[in-house]
Amino acid sequence: MSGHKPKKDRRPSPAGGPEGRETSGERKKASSSNEAGFLRSLRQILNNVLPSGRATETSGRNYAAGSDELLRRLEKEIDYRFGDLQLLRRAMTHRSFANEQPPPRPLHNEALEFLGDAVLEFLISTWLLELHPTLSEGHLSKMRAYAVSATNLQKHAARLQLGSYLLLNKGEEKTGGRHKVALQVDAYEALIAAIYLDGGIVSASNFVRREFSQTLAEIDPADLTRMDYKTALQELLQSRGLPTPRYEVLERQGPEHRRIFQVALNVKGVRMATGEGTTIKAAHQEAAREALALKDSWEKLLADNDQL
């Protein structure tokens, strides 16, 4: 029997790594390339642009009302520089403004609101799971609902003064559109989508983590009662010998896919608070939160009206 050893096959592995396994660096590079291609296709779809690059008649254009100077100022506020400024312009364009422009009309922000809502929920969900890997789905869901509530999103939008960057028609201007909760929340979600489409999930995640670090820090997973304001209020009223509060829907705002509900909270005929939310349930929670914050005022009001 010969002691001659067979030569090793020195052909390169098909996947670049030993025995055909991909390396971590190769996976990251492939993932980055795949995401870039996906985002490019998604931008084409959202802009109504055919794969050949030929724009349809409804594609956006650079219109004077959305000056680059104003948008560059917003970039400084959000600490993100867009490669495609048209995405930011679209995020700040309300349907009322777009519909009054001559053809080809600029694209408004409603599709971006839809996408931004999903991106935000995904990023907050993964962040919460990273922070609290052993919590139940129910706990995590409550924490996420609190973080992405219309109340919190409006606070972020107001801090960035998004209302001042919105493109609105004269009708919306006259009715105080820049200060409407629904429009500010929609613009904030559209902004997140614009960052995602422009820079990918890492850029969107960086923005969300800068924006929501304080919000998540305020959440105590061991005591979620402070986020269930409705139950806390009901228990308080019962301790005072008062009946369960009644909630009344006052107004519905926004498109079908993104309603903002305004509700009133009444106890024995006395209006204690109002609240807004993207669902009736969320609006109830916000009204209950406001009622708890104004506890001294409504207790005095009930006493003055001989309701106690």
Side-chain angles (χ1 to χ4, degrees):
M1 184 173 179
S2 173
H4 178 70
K5 296 181 180 180
K7 292 183 179 180
K8 291 182 178 180
D9 186 352
R10 299 186 181 277
R11 289 175 296 176
S13 301
E19 298 181 1
R21 293 193 299 271
E22 284 185 311
T23 65
S24 174
E26 287 171 334
R27 284 195 299 272
K28 289 180 179 179
K29 185 176 180 180
S31 175
S32 177
S33 177
N34 289 339
E35 183 186 32
F38 169 75
L39 291 174
R40 189 161 51 248
S41 298
L42 186 55
R43 285 195 296 267
Q44 287 179 334
I45 293 170
L46 288 170
N47 289 330
N48 286 329
V49 176
L50 302 177
S52 63
R54 178 168 58 85
T56 66
E57 63 179 3
T58 57
S59 63
R61 60 190 174 92
N62 191 343
Y63 40 94
S67 70
D68 286 2
E69 181 181 351
L70 194 63
L71 296 177
R72 291 301 183 193
R73 190 187 311 164
L74 178 54
E75 284 183 322
K76 292 181 181 179
E77 288 289 336
I78 65 176
D79 193 22
Y80 179 80
R81 181 82 173 187
F82 277 83
D84 181 1
L85 199 62
Q86 292 293 339
L87 287 168
L88 179 56
R89 179 173 284 109
R90 180 178 179 182
M92 296 299 110
T93 302
H94 187 254
R95 172 189 285 272
S96 65
F97 178 88
N99 287 346
E100 290 191 353
Q101 304 309 303
R105 292 188 179 92
L107 296 167
H108 54 73
N109 64 9
E110 287 184 11
L112 294 188
E113 297 162 26
F114 174 77
L115 177 61
D117 177 45
V119 171
L120 177 61
E121 285 214 354
F122 166 69
L123 291 173
I124 292 295
S125 297
T126 54
W127 193 2
L128 286 171
L129 191 60
E130 175 187 319
L131 293 172
H132 311 287
T134 61
L135 285 184
S136 69
E137 178 188 358
H139 275 68
L140 292 170
S141 295
K142 285 184 178 180
M143 295 164 74
R144 182 183 63 193
Y146 170 76
V148 303
S149 66
T151 301
N152 271 327
L153 298 190
Q154 193 274 334
K155 288 178 182 177
H156 290 301
R159 183 179 55 78
L160 295 173
Q161 298 182 324
L162 287 190
S164 64
Y165 296 97
L166 287 175
L167 292 168
L168 307 172
N169 70 357
K170 291 181 180 179
E172 279 292 345
E173 287 278 10
K174 289 180 179 178
T175 57
R178 297 191 184 280
H179 304 288
K180 290 180 180 178
V181 172
L183 269 63
Q184 291 188 6
V185 170
D186 290 347
Y188 190 79
E189 291 177 331
L191 173 62
I192 291 173
I195 293 173
Y196 167 65
L197 290 170
D198 186 74
I201 198 66
V202 172
S203 295
S205 179
N206 290 341
F207 173 76
V208 167
R209 293 203 175 208
R210 288 195 303 270
E211 289 281 297
F212 286 83
S213 58
Q214 184 60 39
T215 301
L216 265 62
E218 292 172 355
I219 300 175
D220 181 3
D223 180 17
L224 297 182
T225 55
R226 65 181 295 271
M227 289 183 288
D228 187 3
Y229 302 111
K230 198 172 177 180
T231 299
L233 176 64
Q234 186 167 324
E235 291 175 350
L236 176 64
L237 291 172
Q238 288 176 347
S239 71
R240 301 287 199 275
L242 293 166
T244 300
R246 293 183 176 274
Y247 296 87
E248 173 191 0
V249 177
L250 300 177
E251 188 177 2
R252 293 173 171 84
Q253 304 173 8
E256 288 291 338
H257 74 275
R258 190 57 174 166
R259 288 290 193 204
I260 295 291
F261 298 90
Q262 184 182 56
V263 304
L265 187 159
N266 305 304
V267 175
K268 299 187 73 173
V270 177
R271 179 169 296 182
M272 296 165 56
T274 60
E276 293 184 342
T278 54
T279 64
I280 293 178
K281 183 178 179 181
H284 285 184
Q285 287 286 352
E286 176 56 21
R289 185 197 67 78
E290 183 178 343
L292 288 168
L294 301 173
K295 179 170 67 72
D296 293 341
S297 298
W298 59 255
E299 283 188 327
K300 184 177 185 301
L301 178 64
L302 288 172
D304 290 345
N305 284 273
D306 195 29
Q307 297 293 318
L308 293 176

